[in-house]
Amino acid sequence: MTEKLALKNIIVTGGCGFIGSNFVRYVVRNHPEVHITVIDALTYAGNIENIAGLPRDRVEFVHGNICDEDLLNRVVPGHDAIVHYAAESHNDNSIANPEPFIQTNVVGTFRLIQAARKFDVRYHHVSTDEVYGDLALDDSARFTEETPYRPSSPYSSTKASSDMLVRAWFRTYGLKMTISNCSNNYGPYQHVEKFIPRQITNILEGIRPKLYGDGLNVRDWINTEDHSSAVWAILTQGRLGETYLIGADGERDNITVLHDILRVMGKDENDFDHVKDRPGHDRRYAIDSSKLRRELGWTPAHTDFESGLRETIDWYRGNRQWWEPVKAATEARYSQQGQ
Ligand code: NAD
Ligand code: DAU
């Protein structure tokens, strides 16, 4: 294991989104010596409330776009690391309108790695298991760091493109980088467009949950707290130039997750609608995270899915003011798509 990198002043891009804000909260709680500068454009997916209540001497907010080179020239100097979460993150949106995905995920990453290079700042790139495409349901294989890239959707192809830029910047310019590819996160502050929060908030609003296709697609669920601890381990102990897969052995098919949500919320397990499938819908994701566990000693701490789901449901029950303002517009968008 390499010596731990001592960090004092980090930038978190996308720190007002779901996973970025959970990471900011994780660092504030666990690493009191670290100051965080959040850069976030506050798109439809970003919400300043996600970092509300955090100490101002620990967390500074910069409202801005990662594609803005002048902004990066002003903000990046003086920091010792960039942790890059900002992205357009939703597959269905990428199918309806890919353009913003190219801008933020590809051009935005390009601008950030140029700035990291220029100011000699350590860079961690947060990516997704979707870059590897999908696995068959009857296959026992899981993704590893050696699996060839085979992205299916506009979203995942832009994430794959950004990973490739980061790898090339390491080899050509010696960018001090690491990459992590994580599976599906769940937890608080996730936008209601995503599967688990959509179904929970549908039930709370008296709308029937919506399942795409046959519902047998498998996702490998991880509590977002465990994603945060893994990114921290990679950022501070990872070997430069390396990719680490993050996963917590949480494979479940969508229909099982939906049954769990309905049961925990006191509803009939069959009280949902089958809707039109997502075009190009990936069948199964599964992560083999042995490299991360072996090299960095990381291990997930929140692997009881049902208890994590209960906590997530309680969070959406207790924070209606957070999601109600965007719920109707999200559902209107889905119903236009027949979903
Ligand atoms: P999210 O959509 O909830 O949040 C994205 C954040 O980025 C928002 O706060 C948004 O305002 C900000 N943003 C978007 N475009 C920007 C721009 N041009 N400049 C500055 N800020 C911008 O996303 P998420 O689900 O939290 O995902 C965060 C990262 O983690 C993404 O890179 C995603 O690919 C990756 N990831 C997500 C998952 C998952 O399960 N959600 C799993 C693995 C990896
Ligand atoms: O694997 C990591 C990826 O996980 C991240 O890179 C993405 O940013 C993140 O959005 C997530 O992608 P998915 O497409 O897997 O997540 P989503 O929540 O959109 O859907 C999860 C599964 O549920 C998927 O098989 C589609 C299905 N689904 C989704 C919605 C919104 C439904 O059946 N009904 C729904 O209403």
Side-chain angles (χ1 to χ4, degrees):
M1 206 181 296
T2 44
E3 201 179 316
K4 277 194 187 171
L5 184 66
L7 297 170
K8 289 233 162 338
N9 215 356
I10 67 172
I11 289 175
V12 175
T13 71
C16 295
F18 162 47
I19 307 181
S21 65
N22 277 290
F23 179 75
V24 170
R25 290 176 177 279
Y26 172 87
V27 175
V28 167
R29 261 198 326 275
N30 294 291
H31 301 284
E33 70 289 0
V34 178
H35 178 275
I36 303 157
T37 304
V38 169
I39 302 180
D40 200 295
L42 297 180
T43 67
Y44 82 94
N47 188 340
I48 190 75
E49 287 302 313
N50 295 5
I51 53 167
L54 296 175
R56 284 176 180 227
D57 59 338
R58 302 279 317 280
V59 181
E60 180 189 344
F61 174 60
V62 176
H63 186 192
N65 196 307
I66 55 163
C67 299
D68 181 346
E69 189 181 344
D70 293 338
L71 174 111
L72 297 179
N73 282 336
R74 280 198 309 278
V75 176
V76 173
H79 290 87
D80 31 47
I82 297 173
V83 189
H84 177 35
Y85 287 93
E88 287 292 337
S89 68
H90 194 43
N91 276 298
D92 294 321
N93 296 345
S94 80
I95 295 166
N97 179 21
E99 179 97 31
F101 289 74
I102 307 283
Q103 274 309 318
T104 288
N105 300 359
V106 183
V107 178
T109 298
F110 161 68
R111 298 258 193 268
L112 272 177
I113 55 180
Q114 285 287 76
R117 194 184 138 211
K118 182 169 172 186
F119 300 109
D120 194 26
V121 170
R122 168 84 169 82
Y123 175 86
H124 179 72
H125 187 68
V126 177
S127 192
T128 169
D129 58 358
E130 295 195 14
V131 300
Y132 300 113
D134 62 353
L135 299 159
L137 293 182
D138 61 359
D139 189 349
S140 60
R142 301 192 289 171
F143 300 137
T144 72
E145 288 78 4
E146 311 309 323
T147 305
Y149 274 43
R150 199 171 57 88
S152 318
S153 73
Y155 161 69
S156 55
S157 61
T158 60
K159 292 297 291 187
S161 309
S162 67
D163 293 9
M164 292 300 160
L165 293 177
V166 176
R167 288 178 179 202
W169 261 236
F170 171 74
R171 175 152 173 169
T172 305
Y173 303 115
L175 179 73
K176 292 188 287 186
M177 69 77 163
T178 41
I179 299 177
S180 56
N181 297 80
C182 187
S183 59
N184 285 63
N185 285 220
Y186 73 93
Y189 301 102
Q190 188 170 28
H191 196 280
V192 294
E193 69 190 354
K194 303 295 199 296
F195 180 57
I196 289 180
R198 183 181 185 203
Q199 315 313 335
I200 296 171
T201 54
N202 273 1
I203 295 167
L204 293 173
E205 292 276 85
I207 304 169
R208 283 166 71 82
K210 308 287 184 234
L211 189 68
Y212 294 174
D214 61 13
L216 297 181
N217 305 64
V218 170
R219 295 295 180 265
D220 190 351
W221 293 98
I222 181 171
N223 190 304
T224 195
E225 266 311 280
D226 286 331
H227 188 181
S228 292
S229 66
V231 166
W232 184 260
I234 298 164
L235 178 67
T236 55
Q237 301 168 71
R239 283 187 291 136
L240 295 184
E242 291 291 316
T243 289
Y244 294 88
L245 263 54
I246 306 174
D249 303 331
E251 278 188 73
R252 269 181 180 69
D253 60 25
N254 294 338
I255 196 163
T256 303
V257 173
L258 184 51
H259 283 154
D260 287 348
I261 295 172
L262 284 157
R263 185 173 32 78
V264 169
M265 295 183 76
K267 302 289 176 197
D268 186 309
E269 282 193 355
N270 296 312
D271 217 356
F272 66 87
D273 295 330
H274 282 277
V275 293
K276 205 177 84 182
D277 207 354
R278 173 184 284 172
H281 197 175
D282 279 340
R283 204 55 170 155
R284 170 174 162 254
Y285 304 140
I287 290 264
D288 176 348
S289 59
S290 333
K291 176 180 173 182
L292 173 62
R293 295 173 193 238
R294 190 180 58 246
E295 280 192 17
L296 306 185
W298 174 82
T299 170
H302 305 273
T303 48
D304 179 346
F305 182 73
E306 173 144 343
S307 100
L309 189 60
R310 282 179 190 277
E311 284 171 21
T312 305
I313 291 169
D314 286 347
W315 190 86
Y316 283 91
R317 268 208 186 100
N319 289 279
R320 292 189 81 111
Q321 81 298 341
W322 183 87
W323 55 266
E324 270 174 349
V326 298
K327 179 67 183 168
T330 305
E331 285 308 307
R333 215 165 61 216
Y334 273 126
S335 77
Q336 264 177 1
Q337 292 166 194
Q339 293 175 320

